[in-house]
Amino acid sequence: MTEPVKVLLADDQVLVRAGFRVLLDVEDDIDVVGEAATGAEAIERCRESRPDVVLMDIRMPTLDGIEATRRIAAIPGLERVKVLILTTYDTEEYVFDALEAGASGFLLKDAGPQELLHAIRVVAAGEALLAPKITRRLIAQFTAVRSAYQVAEDRLGVLTQREREVLALVGTGLSNAEIGAALSLSPATAKTHVSRAMIKLGARDRAQLVVVAYQTGLVSARPPT
């Protein structure tokens, strides 16, 4: 039997954490292993319980969710911890920073129960939650300003031509199966190319590959018209 996904809830609002716990506790394949009201507490709970996924709010006292994410990603032994950022429309400007810090994706706080459950399972499985159009729009919007200072060839020189093609498709939010279909490769081969690109670029996960794809211009940073 597959072990349940261990989830840590990090939000400064008690009622929000309670609502998430009620929803998650009834799922056989999800186990809430702790709660945190600040970013600092989230880091300590991660050290103690080694969750698979952290539902991380951005705005928290003492230490915000983005800095907590950055520190968790840098702690030896916590490399497998995935952070799913919880955000609202008025904090969209922080999403790109969260992805750069090591988050595996983000979810709007007004998402429905099934969206939340799906997000947790997707992130726990090692995928990035980057399919929603709003994610691509946000990354495009905030990378457009920063990408002017990036030198693409310096970063992409370590990749083969095929790996660049795969990276570009990862940047558009495609799955391994979709990438394979687009390039006439098997999903397993596509996955291998994705993994090699991650290693060569020092990316923590697919979310950071998407950031690189936009920063280097492999994917257009212009918002869709």
Side-chain angles (χ1 to χ4, degrees):
M1 180 178 177
T2 304
E3 290 293 321
V5 176
K6 295 187 294 183
V7 176
L8 173 68
L9 307 176
D11 194 295
D12 62 335
Q13 297 184 44
V14 177
L15 288 178
V16 171
R17 298 199 308 272
F20 286 144
R21 181 179 279 276
V22 168
L23 174 65
L24 300 180
D25 277 346
V26 299
E27 299 297 317
D28 293 335
D29 63 335
I30 296 176
D31 182 18
V32 177
V33 295
E35 298 183 20
T38 69
E41 285 184 8
I43 295 171
E44 289 307 308
R45 298 293 89 77
C46 279
R47 291 181 187 274
E48 296 167 357
S49 60
R50 304 296 175 97
D52 299 306
V53 178
V54 181
L55 287 184
M56 182 81 77
D57 187 25
I58 291 180
R59 293 176 173 172
M60 291 187 291
T62 308
L63 193 70
D64 66 46
I66 294 174
E67 183 57 30
T69 298
R70 182 174 289 108
R71 296 188 190 185
I72 290 170
I75 296 174
L78 297 183
E79 295 87 353
R80 294 184 178 276
V81 176
K82 305 296 184 182
V83 176
L84 180 60
I85 294 288
L86 295 168
T87 185
T88 55
Y89 280 106
D90 64 340
T91 59
E92 286 182 355
E93 67 269 22
Y94 300 118
V95 172
F96 186 80
D97 291 329
L99 293 174
E100 282 192 316
S104 293
F106 82 100
L107 188 70
L108 293 173
K109 277 192 171 182
D110 62 358
Q114 293 308 311
E115 289 180 86
L116 174 62
L117 295 172
H118 173 72
I120 291 172
R121 290 166 179 142
V122 166
V123 170
E127 297 292 327
L129 193 72
L130 297 165
K133 293 180 180 179
I134 185 172
T135 308
R136 294 196 290 271
R137 188 181 77 241
L138 288 171
I139 295 174
Q141 178 181 350
F142 295 108
T143 307
V145 178
R146 305 173 192 210
S147 61
Y149 302 97
Q150 303 289 338
V151 181
E153 287 306 313
D154 287 349
R155 302 188 69 184
L156 300 180
V158 296
L159 302 182
T160 66
Q161 182 58 39
R162 177 62 84 187
E163 288 164 354
R164 289 192 186 205
E165 292 170 350
V166 168
L167 175 59
L169 294 176
V170 170
T172 64
L174 297 188
S175 66
N176 291 336
E178 291 169 332
I179 291 171
L183 298 177
S184 299
L185 303 172
S186 70
T189 300
K191 181 179 180 180
T192 297
H193 286 307
V194 170
S195 297
R196 288 175 179 169
M198 287 173 60
I199 293 170
K200 290 180 179 181
L201 294 170
R204 177 180 169 88
D205 56 21
R206 291 175 79 99
Q208 291 196 322
L209 283 185
V210 173
V211 172
V212 172
Y214 276 99
Q215 286 179 325
T216 56
L218 282 179
V219 178
S220 173
R222 291 190 302 272
T225 56

